Amino acid sequence: MGDGNQSMATDFILLGLFARSGSHQLLFSLVAAVFAMGVLGNAVLLLLIRVDSRLHTPMYFLLSQLSVFDIGFPLVTIPKMASDFLQGEGSISFGGCAAQIFFLTLIGVAEGVLLALMSYDRYVAVCHPLQYPVLMRPQVCQLMAGSSWLAGVLNASIQTPITLHFPYCASRTVDHFFCEVPALLKLACADTSAYELVLSTSGVLILLFPLGLIATSYGHVLGAVLRMHSEEARNKALATCSSHITVVGLFYGAAVFMYMVPGAYHSPQQDNVISLFYSLVTPSLNPLIYSLRNREVRMALIKALSRAGLRRK
């Protein structure tokens, strides 16, 4: 109990993102620019979905939830990292560390579940278009969004207290730029092997179940597209699905490496790069992917910009 109290009373030290790099200012400026672009891009996408009636569809409702997660991911990590860099220190309180773990595990699982449910939306749209208004009615969409949030909250509520109940009485320097479960467990004085095995097993289940649903959905979609006689219909189906497939590849590629590959097979430097990728780069790319590949989003953006121009005149 004494060790537990000690670990709760002492701050952790985050080494930061640029501990091993040379061009600190250049890299910091690049990260700050990507962060600003990502938050702005997702905020604009959220605004367009809200104000343009043509985007009031189940697909874009789910996409708006994805944008919320993509704003939350970098907000949990990047401002703290930037503050540490500018102030020249990297301390984070036990409570602050717990908050980072909670929100990151919540958003990570919730986004994974949401991406799987978005693949089901595309499956219904392509394979059962006549039943789409019934199968994807507003109540179903709200249930999908609520399920993704609930899965994230349950996961975070379990992982956070278990991770932080270990005594952290040795070095309290986290070789990472934010508090992440794998990086933190390396500092624990107690034996964490059983918990790490449970984490790996649950990580495989959490990742493989949504991936299985995504693969099944897009297997049916591909079969339906190949049977289409109209080239225009094929191109439209592929355009809407390819955006989602790209986002799935970016998100799950990083998640599989981080949580399904044992920690012994990747270094802290690789962990930093992968974590930066899924917590900043991927959320920043998502609005760009959807705006470039989806005609409806491009038209909504052009309409909003033209309205803004007319108002200024």
Side-chain angles (χ1 to χ4, degrees):
M1 183 65 72
D3 287 340
N5 290 337
Q6 177 187 354
S7 55
M8 291 188 73
T10 311
D11 291 352
F12 290 100
I13 304 297
L14 300 172
L15 279 186
L17 184 60
F18 313 113
R20 296 180 179 84
S21 58
S23 306
H24 293 181
Q25 292 290 348
L26 178 61
L27 289 174
F28 174 77
S29 301
L30 182 61
V31 168
V34 174
F35 170 75
M37 180 188 74
V39 172
L40 179 62
N42 280 292
V44 168
L45 191 55
L46 271 173
L47 181 63
L48 290 176
I49 292 171
R50 181 173 179 81
V51 301
D52 196 304
S53 59
R54 290 173 298 182
L55 302 184
H56 293 174
T57 64
M59 183 182 82
Y60 289 108
F61 170 76
L62 296 175
L63 180 56
S64 70
Q65 296 297 303
L66 181 65
S67 290
V68 171
F69 294 143
D70 286 342
I71 289 174
F73 242 136
L75 282 177
V76 174
T77 58
I78 303 303
K80 170 62 179 168
M81 181 275 294
S83 173
D84 291 344
F85 176 79
L86 294 174
Q87 295 177 10
E89 61 177 43
S91 65
I92 183 170
S93 67
F94 188 89
C97 197
Q100 282 195 334
I101 292 174
F102 181 85
F103 287 111
L104 287 171
T105 51
L106 186 162
I107 295 170
V109 170
E111 183 162 334
V113 172
L114 182 69
L115 288 173
L117 295 174
M118 288 174 74
S119 73
Y120 172 76
D121 168 75
R122 293 298 83 206
Y123 158 73
V124 175
V126 175
C127 300
H128 303 284
L130 297 179
Q131 295 175 283
Y132 186 81
V134 175
L135 294 176
M136 293 300 297
R137 57 190 181 276
Q139 296 91 332
V140 173
C141 295
Q142 291 163 9
L143 181 62
M144 286 180 165
S147 298
S148 66
W149 280 98
L150 180 61
V153 169
L154 287 175
N155 179 71
S157 299
I158 294 169
Q159 277 200 32
T160 305
I162 293 177
T163 300
L164 294 175
H165 96 282
F166 290 108
Y168 293 95
C169 47
S171 168
R172 305 184 69 80
T173 302
V174 183
D175 198 351
H176 210 27
F177 67 97
F178 62 87
C179 287
E180 192 167 28
V181 173
L184 213 62
L185 290 178
K186 294 176 182 177
L187 305 181
C189 303
D191 180 18
T192 62
S193 56
Y195 178 50
E196 290 183 55
L197 180 61
V198 171
L199 273 182
S200 298
T201 306
S202 62
V204 169
L205 294 174
I206 289 170
L207 289 172
L208 287 187
F209 180 73
L211 277 174
L213 178 58
I214 291 168
T216 302
S217 297
Y218 280 113
H220 287 293
V221 167
L222 181 60
V225 169
L226 293 175
R227 290 192 297 270
M228 289 178 180
H229 300 294
S230 167
E231 184 178 351
E232 182 182 353
R234 270 200 307 271
N235 291 337
K236 184 177 180 181
L238 288 173
T240 57
C241 293
S242 61
S243 300
H244 185 249
I245 292 172
T246 304
V247 171
V248 166
L250 291 171
F251 178 83
Y252 277 101
V256 165
F257 179 86
M258 196 70 187
Y259 289 97
M260 289 180 65
V261 177
Y265 293 94
H266 43 92
S267 65
Q269 297 96 310
Q270 290 173 320
D271 288 347
N272 269 315
V273 172
I274 295 298
S275 296
L276 183 68
F277 189 80
Y278 77 72
S279 67
L280 176 65
V281 178
T282 299
S284 300
L285 287 176
N286 287 351
L288 194 61
I289 291 169
Y290 277 102
S291 63
L292 290 177
R293 290 175 177 263
N294 287 42
R295 183 175 179 273
E296 293 91 345
V297 176
R298 294 199 304 270
M299 295 302 294
L301 180 59
I302 291 170
K303 182 180 176 182
L305 291 175
S306 64
R307 279 181 177 177
L310 288 173
R311 285 174 184 172
R312 277 198 298 268
K313 290 178 182 179

